[in-house]
Amino acid sequence: MRQRYLQDILATPVFLAASFANPIAYPLQVHRKDLWPVIGAKLCFVNFPGTDTEPARAGPALAAHLKHSYKEFLLECDQQFMKQL
């Protein structure tokens, strides 16, 4: 149940935050671009409001928790899904 909830909540923003140039590597792109705080803000956990040039961001603790949860519960599932495309 927890994995399904995380998949519904977290997978779409992770997918949308990354570049679609190489869809199999999109979680790695999220990590490289440090988009976990932006994803947290898109899930309505805004600690730092956005500006004209920067998106809103969540705090570092929440970003670390999202990263860990995604890696533990969803990364393998998403990678298998992307290989099917």
Side-chain angles (χ1 to χ4, degrees):
M1 179 74 155
R2 181 177 178 186
Q3 183 175 358
R4 179 67 186 158
Y5 177 75
L6 281 171
Q7 187 173 13
D8 290 345
I9 298 296
L10 190 55
T12 302
V14 171
F15 188 76
L16 293 176
S19 167
F20 296 104
N22 184 1
I24 293 175
Y26 76 87
L28 181 60
Q29 294 172 8
V30 169
H31 176 70
R32 284 183 184 160
K33 295 178 181 180
D34 192 31
L35 294 176
W36 293 110
V38 175
I39 291 168
K42 291 200 180 287
L43 294 171
C44 298
F45 295 103
V46 177
N47 286 34
F48 307 103
T51 65
D52 291 339
T53 59
E54 292 289 323
R57 295 182 174 272
L62 180 79
H65 182 69
L66 289 174
K67 178 181 175 181
H68 171 75
S69 296
Y70 182 82
K71 187 185 280 188
E72 184 175 342
F73 296 107
L74 299 175
L75 178 61
E76 186 177 332
C77 178
D78 278 354
Q79 288 175 335
Q80 292 300 320
F81 174 75
M82 296 308 292
K83 287 179 184 178
Q84 300 293 324
L85 298 181

